[in-house]
Amino acid sequence: MLDIPPAVINYILNYLIEARSLAYLLVKKDGSLLAWGGKLAEYGITNLRQGGGVGEQVFFLEGLLPLDDIPLFLPLIKTEYGICTDVHMFPSSEGDWVLLLDSTWDENQLLPIQQSINDFSLLQEKLTRIQNH
């Protein structure tokens, strides 16, 4: 394992908690919610019930759990509340962990690039139609 100084680890943890609005859920293999914490309210996730089905409480997780012992990363997922988040899921002996990290900044950086690509594709199609006529 890497020898990382405690000051660096503290900085990374504080950055994830504050700047990326770290939130987490722990879900049993039967799909019931075991524990949660962090900044869930920033993702519009409130009023969770321990023991209740996670898919019924956090709709964008419906059908994604349980994991088959393989971590899963879903970048730039738009929640039902319109918040863009990176979703990291990984299995453990306690159950499946779901980590949420705000990716609004990433989305804002990628959106103009994606729009330019879409505009270029439309222009290319238009030129191809003109050439074929």
Side-chain angles (χ1 to χ4, degrees):
M1 184 168 170
L2 295 175
D3 185 24
I4 301 173
V8 173
I9 291 172
N10 286 336
Y11 173 83
I12 291 170
L13 288 174
N14 286 331
Y15 173 77
L16 290 174
I17 292 167
E18 294 306 319
R20 297 289 306 271
S21 299
L22 173 66
Y24 66 88
L25 304 165
L26 178 57
V27 183
K28 293 168 94 176
K29 289 296 185 179
D30 67 1
S32 62
L33 190 57
L34 184 60
W36 59 88
K39 298 186 172 190
L40 286 166
E42 292 190 19
Y43 299 96
I45 300 171
T46 58
N47 300 322
L48 295 174
R49 295 177 325 280
Q50 189 171 21
V54 73
E56 299 162 5
Q57 299 181 69
V58 184
F59 299 111
F60 66 88
L61 293 175
E62 182 67 40
L64 293 174
L65 299 169
L67 297 174
D68 292 326
D69 297 326
I70 299 172
L72 182 61
F73 171 57
L74 303 170
L76 302 169
I77 299 298
K78 192 76 94 169
T79 70
E80 63 265 26
Y81 299 100
I83 299 161
C84 196
T85 182
D86 288 340
V87 179
H88 298 260
M89 295 185 273
F90 62 94
S92 74
S93 59
E94 302 105 332
D96 293 333
W97 288 94
V98 178
L99 304 180
L100 305 174
L101 296 171
D102 186 317
S103 58
T104 303
W105 187 88
D106 298 329
E107 178 189 35
N108 291 338
Q109 297 302 308
L110 292 173
L111 196 62
I113 295 168
Q114 184 63 50
Q115 187 59 51
S116 294
I117 291 168
N118 292 344
D119 291 345
F120 178 75
S121 294
L122 289 172
L123 184 59
Q124 193 172 23
E125 284 179 28
K126 189 174 184 178
L127 288 173
T128 300
R129 276 188 262 124
I130 290 171
Q131 287 176 345
N132 290 338
H133 287 323

PDB file of all heavy atoms in Angstrom, residues 29-57:
ATOM      1  N   LYS A  29     -27.644  -7.233   1.206  1.00  0.00           N
ATOM      2  CA  LYS A  29     -27.787  -7.995  -0.040  1.00  0.00           C
ATOM      3  C   LYS A  29     -29.251  -8.266  -0.402  1.00  0.00           C
ATOM      4  O   LYS A  29     -29.571  -8.522  -1.552  1.00  0.00           O
ATOM      5  CB  LYS A  29     -27.004  -9.310   0.030  1.00  0.00           C
ATOM      6  CG  LYS A  29     -25.508  -9.122  -0.007  1.00  0.00           C
ATOM      7  CD  LYS A  29     -25.067  -8.513  -1.325  1.00  0.00           C
ATOM      8  CE  LYS A  29     -23.550  -8.448  -1.413  1.00  0.00           C
ATOM      9  NZ  LYS A  29     -23.080  -7.888  -2.676  1.00  0.00           N
ATOM     10  N   ASP A  30     -30.151  -8.167   0.573  1.00  0.00           N
ATOM     11  CA  ASP A  30     -31.579  -8.360   0.278  1.00  0.00           C
ATOM     12  C   ASP A  30     -32.241  -7.058  -0.205  1.00  0.00           C
ATOM     13  O   ASP A  30     -33.444  -7.015  -0.424  1.00  0.00           O
ATOM     14  CB  ASP A  30     -32.318  -8.930   1.485  1.00  0.00           C
ATOM     15  CG  ASP A  30     -32.404  -7.973   2.677  1.00  0.00           C
ATOM     16  OD1 ASP A  30     -31.907  -6.825   2.575  1.00  0.00           O
ATOM     17  OD2 ASP A  30     -32.968  -8.376   3.706  1.00  0.00           O
ATOM     18  N   GLY A  31     -31.437  -5.989  -0.333  1.00  0.00           N
ATOM     19  CA  GLY A  31     -31.969  -4.720  -0.840  1.00  0.00           C
ATOM     20  C   GLY A  31     -32.471  -3.766   0.221  1.00  0.00           C
ATOM     21  O   GLY A  31     -32.912  -2.662  -0.095  1.00  0.00           O
ATOM     22  N   SER A  32     -32.395  -4.168   1.485  1.00  0.00           N
ATOM     23  CA  SER A  32     -32.873  -3.279   2.551  1.00  0.00           C
ATOM     24  C   SER A  32     -31.764  -2.327   2.984  1.00  0.00           C
ATOM     25  O   SER A  32     -30.587  -2.674   3.003  1.00  0.00           O
ATOM     26  CB  SER A  32     -33.392  -4.087   3.743  1.00  0.00           C
ATOM     27  OG  SER A  32     -32.366  -4.875   4.302  1.00  0.00           O
ATOM     28  N   LEU A  33     -32.166  -1.128   3.336  1.00  0.00           N
ATOM     29  CA  LEU A  33     -31.242  -0.072   3.735  1.00  0.00           C
ATOM     30  C   LEU A  33     -30.777  -0.316   5.169  1.00  0.00           C
ATOM     31  O   LEU A  33     -31.591  -0.449   6.073  1.00  0.00           O
ATOM     32  CB  LEU A  33     -31.935   1.278   3.606  1.00  0.00           C
ATOM     33  CG  LEU A  33     -31.085   2.513   3.757  1.00  0.00           C
ATOM     34  CD1 LEU A  33     -29.929   2.535   2.762  1.00  0.00           C
ATOM     35  CD2 LEU A  33     -31.946   3.758   3.566  1.00  0.00           C
ATOM     36  N   LEU A  34     -29.471  -0.385   5.352  1.00  0.00           N
ATOM     37  CA  LEU A  34     -28.903  -0.668   6.666  1.00  0.00           C
ATOM     38  C   LEU A  34     -28.406   0.600   7.361  1.00  0.00           C
ATOM     39  O   LEU A  34     -28.670   0.819   8.538  1.00  0.00           O
ATOM     40  CB  LEU A  34     -27.751  -1.669   6.523  1.00  0.00           C
ATOM     41  CG  LEU A  34     -27.090  -2.159   7.799  1.00  0.00           C
ATOM     42  CD1 LEU A  34     -28.089  -2.871   8.691  1.00  0.00           C
ATOM     43  CD2 LEU A  34     -25.934  -3.085   7.455  1.00  0.00           C
ATOM     44  N   ALA A  35     -27.692   1.464   6.617  1.00  0.00           N
ATOM     45  CA  ALA A  35     -27.140   2.687   7.210  1.00  0.00           C
ATOM     46  C   ALA A  35     -26.934   3.729   6.119  1.00  0.00           C
ATOM     47  O   ALA A  35     -26.909   3.404   4.936  1.00  0.00           O
ATOM     48  CB  ALA A  35     -25.816   2.377   7.906  1.00  0.00           C
ATOM     49  N   TRP A  36     -26.777   4.991   6.543  1.00  0.00           N
ATOM     50  CA  TRP A  36     -26.549   6.073   5.595  1.00  0.00           C
ATOM     51  C   TRP A  36     -25.917   7.246   6.318  1.00  0.00           C
ATOM     52  O   TRP A  36     -25.928   7.307   7.542  1.00  0.00           O
ATOM     53  CB  TRP A  36     -27.843   6.496   4.912  1.00  0.00           C
ATOM     54  CG  TRP A  36     -28.904   6.956   5.870  1.00  0.00           C
ATOM     55  CD1 TRP A  36     -29.088   8.231   6.351  1.00  0.00           C
ATOM     56  CD2 TRP A  36     -29.919   6.159   6.483  1.00  0.00           C
ATOM     57  NE1 TRP A  36     -30.161   8.265   7.216  1.00  0.00           N
ATOM     58  CE2 TRP A  36     -30.697   6.996   7.319  1.00  0.00           C
ATOM     59  CE3 TRP A  36     -30.252   4.807   6.416  1.00  0.00           C
ATOM     60  CZ2 TRP A  36     -31.752   6.539   8.068  1.00  0.00           C
ATOM     61  CZ3 TRP A  36     -31.312   4.345   7.162  1.00  0.00           C
ATOM     62  CH2 TRP A  36     -32.060   5.204   7.971  1.00  0.00           C
ATOM     63  N   GLY A  37     -25.375   8.190   5.527  1.00  0.00           N
ATOM     64  CA  GLY A  37     -24.786   9.367   6.146  1.00  0.00           C
ATOM     65  C   GLY A  37     -24.212  10.305   5.104  1.00  0.00           C
ATOM     66  O   GLY A  37     -24.376  10.112   3.905  1.00  0.00           O
ATOM     67  N   GLY A  38     -23.537  11.326   5.577  1.00  0.00           N
ATOM     68  CA  GLY A  38     -22.985  12.326   4.687  1.00  0.00           C
ATOM     69  C   GLY A  38     -24.039  13.341   4.291  1.00  0.00           C
ATOM     70  O   GLY A  38     -25.013  13.558   5.003  1.00  0.00           O
ATOM     71  N   LYS A  39     -23.851  13.932   3.126  1.00  0.00           N
ATOM     72  CA  LYS A  39     -24.701  15.035   2.670  1.00  0.00           C
ATOM     73  C   LYS A  39     -25.826  14.562   1.743  1.00  0.00           C
ATOM     74  O   LYS A  39     -26.002  15.084   0.645  1.00  0.00           O
ATOM     75  CB  LYS A  39     -23.837  16.085   2.001  1.00  0.00           C
ATOM     76  CG  LYS A  39     -22.819  16.685   2.944  1.00  0.00           C
ATOM     77  CD  LYS A  39     -22.081  17.816   2.303  1.00  0.00           C
ATOM     78  CE  LYS A  39     -21.210  18.507   3.332  1.00  0.00           C
ATOM     79  NZ  LYS A  39     -20.659  19.742   2.808  1.00  0.00           N
ATOM     80  N   LEU A  40     -26.598  13.592   2.195  1.00  0.00           N
ATOM     81  CA  LEU A  40     -27.678  13.040   1.381  1.00  0.00           C
ATOM     82  C   LEU A  40     -28.733  14.076   1.005  1.00  0.00           C
ATOM     83  O   LEU A  40     -29.288  14.029  -0.090  1.00  0.00           O
ATOM     84  CB  LEU A  40     -28.333  11.862   2.105  1.00  0.00           C
ATOM     85  CG  LEU A  40     -27.501  10.587   2.127  1.00  0.00           C
ATOM     86  CD1 LEU A  40     -28.056   9.609   3.140  1.00  0.00           C
ATOM     87  CD2 LEU A  40     -27.426   9.959   0.752  1.00  0.00           C
ATOM     88  N   ALA A  41     -29.016  15.014   1.893  1.00  0.00           N
ATOM     89  CA  ALA A  41     -30.046  16.020   1.617  1.00  0.00           C
ATOM     90  C   ALA A  41     -29.683  16.855   0.388  1.00  0.00           C
ATOM     91  O   ALA A  41     -30.573  17.316  -0.328  1.00  0.00           O
ATOM     92  CB  ALA A  41     -30.258  16.917   2.824  1.00  0.00           C
ATOM     93  N   GLU A  42     -28.391  17.031   0.105  1.00  0.00           N
ATOM     94  CA  GLU A  42     -27.985  17.792  -1.074  1.00  0.00           C
ATOM     95  C   GLU A  42     -28.345  17.076  -2.373  1.00  0.00           C
ATOM     96  O   GLU A  42     -28.371  17.689  -3.433  1.00  0.00           O
ATOM     97  CB  GLU A  42     -26.488  18.102  -1.013  1.00  0.00           C
ATOM     98  CG  GLU A  42     -26.167  19.071   0.107  1.00  0.00           C
ATOM     99  CD  GLU A  42     -24.754  19.596   0.067  1.00  0.00           C
ATOM    100  OE1 GLU A  42     -24.110  19.524  -0.995  1.00  0.00           O
ATOM    101  OE2 GLU A  42     -24.309  20.088   1.112  1.00  0.00           O
ATOM    102  N   TYR A  43     -28.609  15.779  -2.291  1.00  0.00           N
ATOM    103  CA  TYR A  43     -29.043  15.000  -3.449  1.00  0.00           C
ATOM    104  C   TYR A  43     -30.553  14.809  -3.453  1.00  0.00           C
ATOM    105  O   TYR A  43     -31.087  14.067  -4.273  1.00  0.00           O
ATOM    106  CB  TYR A  43     -28.338  13.639  -3.460  1.00  0.00           C
ATOM    107  CG  TYR A  43     -26.841  13.784  -3.552  1.00  0.00           C
ATOM    108  CD1 TYR A  43     -26.043  13.751  -2.407  1.00  0.00           C
ATOM    109  CD2 TYR A  43     -26.225  13.989  -4.777  1.00  0.00           C
ATOM    110  CE1 TYR A  43     -24.679  13.908  -2.494  1.00  0.00           C
ATOM    111  CE2 TYR A  43     -24.854  14.143  -4.867  1.00  0.00           C
ATOM    112  CZ  TYR A  43     -24.088  14.112  -3.723  1.00  0.00           C
ATOM    113  OH  TYR A  43     -22.732  14.275  -3.814  1.00  0.00           O
ATOM    114  N   GLY A  44     -31.235  15.453  -2.511  1.00  0.00           N
ATOM    115  CA  GLY A  44     -32.683  15.332  -2.421  1.00  0.00           C
ATOM    116  C   GLY A  44     -33.120  14.055  -1.732  1.00  0.00           C
ATOM    117  O   GLY A  44     -34.287  13.684  -1.808  1.00  0.00           O
ATOM    118  N   ILE A  45     -32.203  13.388  -1.070  1.00  0.00           N
ATOM    119  CA  ILE A  45     -32.507  12.115  -0.410  1.00  0.00           C
ATOM    120  C   ILE A  45     -32.749  12.394   1.070  1.00  0.00           C
ATOM    121  O   ILE A  45     -31.832  12.751   1.811  1.00  0.00           O
ATOM    122  CB  ILE A  45     -31.364  11.104  -0.604  1.00  0.00           C
ATOM    123  CG1 ILE A  45     -31.151  10.838  -2.099  1.00  0.00           C
ATOM    124  CG2 ILE A  45     -31.661   9.813   0.141  1.00  0.00           C
ATOM    125  CD1 ILE A  45     -29.912  10.030  -2.413  1.00  0.00           C
ATOM    126  N   THR A  46     -33.998  12.242   1.472  1.00  0.00           N
ATOM    127  CA  THR A  46     -34.395  12.497   2.855  1.00  0.00           C
ATOM    128  C   THR A  46     -35.386  11.427   3.293  1.00  0.00           C
ATOM    129  O   THR A  46     -35.854  10.628   2.484  1.00  0.00           O
ATOM    130  CB  THR A  46     -35.061  13.883   3.000  1.00  0.00           C
ATOM    131  OG1 THR A  46     -36.190  13.941   2.122  1.00  0.00           O
ATOM    132  CG2 THR A  46     -34.081  15.006   2.657  1.00  0.00           C
ATOM    133  N   ASN A  47     -35.696  11.430   4.563  1.00  0.00           N
ATOM    134  CA  ASN A  47     -36.717  10.543   5.133  1.00  0.00           C
ATOM    135  C   ASN A  47     -36.463   9.076   4.826  1.00  0.00           C
ATOM    136  O   ASN A  47     -37.393   8.332   4.478  1.00  0.00           O
ATOM    137  CB  ASN A  47     -38.121  10.943   4.648  1.00  0.00           C
ATOM    138  CG  ASN A  47     -38.464  12.356   5.042  1.00  0.00           C
ATOM    139  OD1 ASN A  47     -38.117  12.808   6.130  1.00  0.00           O
ATOM    140  ND2 ASN A  47     -39.127  13.067   4.152  1.00  0.00           N
ATOM    141  N   LEU A  48     -35.218   8.643   4.967  1.00  0.00           N
ATOM    142  CA  LEU A  48     -34.888   7.235   4.739  1.00  0.00           C
ATOM    143  C   LEU A  48     -35.365   6.401   5.919  1.00  0.00           C
ATOM    144  O   LEU A  48     -35.425   6.868   7.050  1.00  0.00           O
ATOM    145  CB  LEU A  48     -33.382   7.080   4.547  1.00  0.00           C
ATOM    146  CG  LEU A  48     -32.816   7.752   3.305  1.00  0.00           C
ATOM    147  CD1 LEU A  48     -31.293   7.662   3.293  1.00  0.00           C
ATOM    148  CD2 LEU A  48     -33.396   7.147   2.038  1.00  0.00           C
ATOM    149  N   ARG A  49     -35.720   5.149   5.613  1.00  0.00           N
ATOM    150  CA  ARG A  49     -36.184   4.215   6.633  1.00  0.00           C
ATOM    151  C   ARG A  49     -35.246   3.016   6.672  1.00  0.00           C
ATOM    152  O   ARG A  49     -35.096   2.313   5.667  1.00  0.00           O
ATOM    153  CB  ARG A  49     -37.596   3.732   6.329  1.00  0.00           C
ATOM    154  CG  ARG A  49     -38.664   4.788   6.387  1.00  0.00           C
ATOM    155  CD  ARG A  49     -40.041   4.253   5.997  1.00  0.00           C
ATOM    156  NE  ARG A  49     -40.069   3.229   4.961  1.00  0.00           N
ATOM    157  CZ  ARG A  49     -39.984   3.455   3.640  1.00  0.00           C
ATOM    158  NH1 ARG A  49     -39.828   4.673   3.181  1.00  0.00           N
ATOM    159  NH2 ARG A  49     -40.055   2.473   2.786  1.00  0.00           N
ATOM    160  N   GLN A  50     -34.648   2.781   7.827  1.00  0.00           N
ATOM    161  CA  GLN A  50     -33.794   1.611   7.979  1.00  0.00           C
ATOM    162  C   GLN A  50     -34.646   0.356   7.810  1.00  0.00           C
ATOM    163  O   GLN A  50     -35.762   0.270   8.336  1.00  0.00           O
ATOM    164  CB  GLN A  50     -33.125   1.613   9.346  1.00  0.00           C
ATOM    165  CG  GLN A  50     -32.065   0.560   9.473  1.00  0.00           C
ATOM    166  CD  GLN A  50     -31.257   0.725  10.748  1.00  0.00           C
ATOM    167  OE1 GLN A  50     -31.696   1.349  11.704  1.00  0.00           O
ATOM    168  NE2 GLN A  50     -30.074   0.153  10.757  1.00  0.00           N
ATOM    169  N   GLY A  51     -34.147  -0.579   7.025  1.00  0.00           N
ATOM    170  CA  GLY A  51     -34.868  -1.820   6.769  1.00  0.00           C
ATOM    171  C   GLY A  51     -35.781  -1.755   5.566  1.00  0.00           C
ATOM    172  O   GLY A  51     -36.215  -2.782   5.058  1.00  0.00           O
ATOM    173  N   GLY A  52     -36.096  -0.561   5.084  1.00  0.00           N
ATOM    174  CA  GLY A  52     -36.924  -0.415   3.886  1.00  0.00           C
ATOM    175  C   GLY A  52     -36.109  -0.680   2.625  1.00  0.00           C
ATOM    176  O   GLY A  52     -34.889  -0.578   2.629  1.00  0.00           O
ATOM    177  N   GLY A  53     -36.779  -1.017   1.564  1.00  0.00           N
ATOM    178  CA  GLY A  53     -36.108  -1.285   0.297  1.00  0.00           C
ATOM    179  C   GLY A  53     -35.448  -0.030  -0.251  1.00  0.00           C
ATOM    180  O   GLY A  53     -36.080   1.023  -0.331  1.00  0.00           O
ATOM    181  N   VAL A  54     -34.179  -0.138  -0.634  1.00  0.00           N
ATOM    182  CA  VAL A  54     -33.456   1.037  -1.108  1.00  0.00           C
ATOM    183  C   VAL A  54     -34.012   1.538  -2.438  1.00  0.00           C
ATOM    184  O   VAL A  54     -34.073   2.737  -2.682  1.00  0.00           O
ATOM    185  CB  VAL A  54     -31.933   0.775  -1.189  1.00  0.00           C
ATOM    186  CG1 VAL A  54     -31.597  -0.136  -2.360  1.00  0.00           C
ATOM    187  CG2 VAL A  54     -31.176   2.079  -1.297  1.00  0.00           C
ATOM    188  N   GLY A  55     -34.440   0.633  -3.308  1.00  0.00           N
ATOM    189  CA  GLY A  55     -34.985   1.035  -4.604  1.00  0.00           C
ATOM    190  C   GLY A  55     -36.268   1.834  -4.495  1.00  0.00           C
ATOM    191  O   GLY A  55     -36.560   2.655  -5.348  1.00  0.00           O
ATOM    192  N   GLU A  56     -37.019   1.601  -3.429  1.00  0.00           N
ATOM    193  CA  GLU A  56     -38.245   2.356  -3.191  1.00  0.00           C
ATOM    194  C   GLU A  56     -37.958   3.739  -2.613  1.00  0.00           C
ATOM    195  O   GLU A  56     -38.764   4.651  -2.742  1.00  0.00           O
ATOM    196  CB  GLU A  56     -39.142   1.586  -2.214  1.00  0.00           C
ATOM    197  CG  GLU A  56     -39.560   0.221  -2.716  1.00  0.00           C
ATOM    198  CD  GLU A  56     -40.060  -0.679  -1.594  1.00  0.00           C
ATOM    199  OE1 GLU A  56     -40.170  -0.213  -0.437  1.00  0.00           O
ATOM    200  OE2 GLU A  56     -40.316  -1.858  -1.884  1.00  0.00           O
ATOM    201  N   GLN A  57     -36.794   3.894  -1.973  1.00  0.00           N
ATOM    202  CA  GLN A  57     -36.451   5.144  -1.311  1.00  0.00           C
ATOM    203  C   GLN A  57     -35.518   6.023  -2.144  1.00  0.00           C
ATOM    204  O   GLN A  57     -35.564   7.241  -2.039  1.00  0.00           O
ATOM    205  CB  GLN A  57     -35.806   4.853   0.044  1.00  0.00           C
ATOM    206  CG  GLN A  57     -36.738   4.084   0.983  1.00  0.00           C
ATOM    207  CD  GLN A  57     -36.085   3.835   2.320  1.00  0.00           C
ATOM    208  OE1 GLN A  57     -35.869   4.774   3.078  1.00  0.00           O
ATOM    209  NE2 GLN A  57     -35.756   2.582   2.609  1.00  0.00           N
TER     210      GLN A  57
END
